Amino acid sequence: MIRACGLAIGVGIAAGGCALGTALVGLADLSLWSVLAPSIGSTTLAAVLLMAYGGAAERSAAQLSQPVPGGDASAPGAAWPALQRWIVAELYSAVLNRLRIQESLESSLRAADVRLRVAELEARHSRELLDALREAVVATDRFGDLVFINSAAARLFGLDPEKSIHQRVDKVITDPSIARLFRETQPARSEAGRKVFEQSFKVMDRPVDFEVAFSGVALSESKDERGLMGVFRDVTREREISKAKTDFVAKASHELRTPLANIRARIEMLADGDVQDEGMRAEFYAVIQSETLRLGQLVDQMLNISRIEAGITQAKWEEVDLAALAQQAVDVVRSQAQDKRITIESRAGSLSYTAMADREMMLQVLINLVSNAVKYTPEGGHVTATTEVSNDNEAVTVFVDDTGLGIPPEALPKMFQKFYRVEQHQNFAKGTGLGLNLVKQVVEVMHNGEVGVTSAVGKGSRFWVTIPCRRKK
Ligand code: ADP
């Protein structure tokens, strides 16, 4: 009997888990367990085992109170139930342990699965964020192999992200200066700080100014797994704006200083009593007056241009007859033309068209063009302002033609730039170099129109402005 029980205990304990069903066969008729176990839940299984344990104990008590055939006849039958209960209890506890382990494994698996999915979602989210950036982002591992590029970087360097990943960065980004930047910065990747460079690269054969910020990034939990991330920001436009501002201030100060110096020199001489001659004094006063006017004009033009550029000029929109406005501009400039014996006229078709415009600003535009035509035309010339409507009746154009000095071809593209003056004209007439820029700002920015110029040196010029219009009822 002892051998039989010892065997059962041995089998039961050795089974511990997977062979448990086999051990139970002899003791508690629980062979069904091995069939049911995979398909039923652990709680149900525990209940089944409890019931089986109760039933088996009862039945075994009855069977084991009989002497074991061939066993020790002197052993008291009463020892059987206690041993039996002990074995079943051991097995029961082994089964429960196994169930607990299985349950905890399953819940760990579920948690790991959730963590994996969260990590995947987070990775996708980060990728989408990086892809939405205008800046190009490139990351390499510690060997200088590409591990990440965002969409902007793929566009900038003309790369296919799929094919470029895991390639050496200097193999895929062929621009030598960028490759050098990566090479030189790679050893510093473990440093936490950022290194910022300014570098100009050719992108599609066009020089582009970049601000490149390199920083070491952790690629995994391990400290050694640090890579390098480069963020490329196109600062070309910023640089252009800042240069334009500096140029503007430099040119504006220069332009302001010239009339101021003229005024100051004359005032000092007058104040010191150095100018005794009446005629010369009168001449000095005239210069002071004209330079003061020029200063005022310069300041007004600068203010108007910067207000339009800043978008703070409020237009007073109204229906404006451009032909009538051109006539008005010609009338304003007529006396200036007569002083130089220049004939001046305005022409317009029979049909009248109106444009939604700011009357005062458009009048200023036309006065600028007509007065320039007179200013840069030698004595005896001719100036005409002609108003025409486009074939589709959608736009009205005023052409201002003169028979003046004309403009050299190389100067034509710069005509509407701030402070630009044709060098050959500087001694011919005084000016600020801001009038045409103001024309462009008013027409293009405020009226959604266009400006242009054609010219032939020694023959004359044609300036034109076009704005959208509609036919007058
Ligand atoms: P300003 O006349 O005060 O110098 P503008 O901006 O009006 O400034 O003109 C810029 C330059 O364009 C002038 O200095 C002149 O050299 C040239 N220009 C303008 N209008 C004419 C024209 N009708 N014929 C020839 N050159 C012109």
Side-chain angles (χ1 to χ4, degrees), residues 94-115:
V95 169
L96 272 188
N97 269 349
R98 183 202 150 96
L99 288 174
R100 269 191 218 111
I101 291 168
Q102 188 176 339
E103 228 172 68
S104 106
L105 275 174
E106 274 171 7
S107 91
S108 304
L109 258 176
R110 271 196 302 276
D113 190 43
V114 168
R115 275 203 298 276

Side-chain angles (χ1 to χ4, degrees), residues 28 65 191 193 273 376 405 449:
S65 57
E191 291 165 22
Y376 298 102
L405 302 175

Side-chain angles (χ1 to χ4, degrees), residues 301 368-369 372-373 375-376 402 405-407 415 417 420-423 425 430-437 455 461 463:
Q301 285 175 332
N368 271 1
L369 293 183
N372 268 356
K375 203 156 91 174
Y376 298 102
D402 64 59
L405 302 175
I407 298 158
M415 294 309 295
Q417 287 176 8
Y420 183 76
R421 303 199 71 212
V422 178
E423 212 180 318
H425 298 170
K430 282 195 167 179
T432 61
L434 281 179
L436 286 180
N437 186 262
S455 185
S461 310
F463 282 84

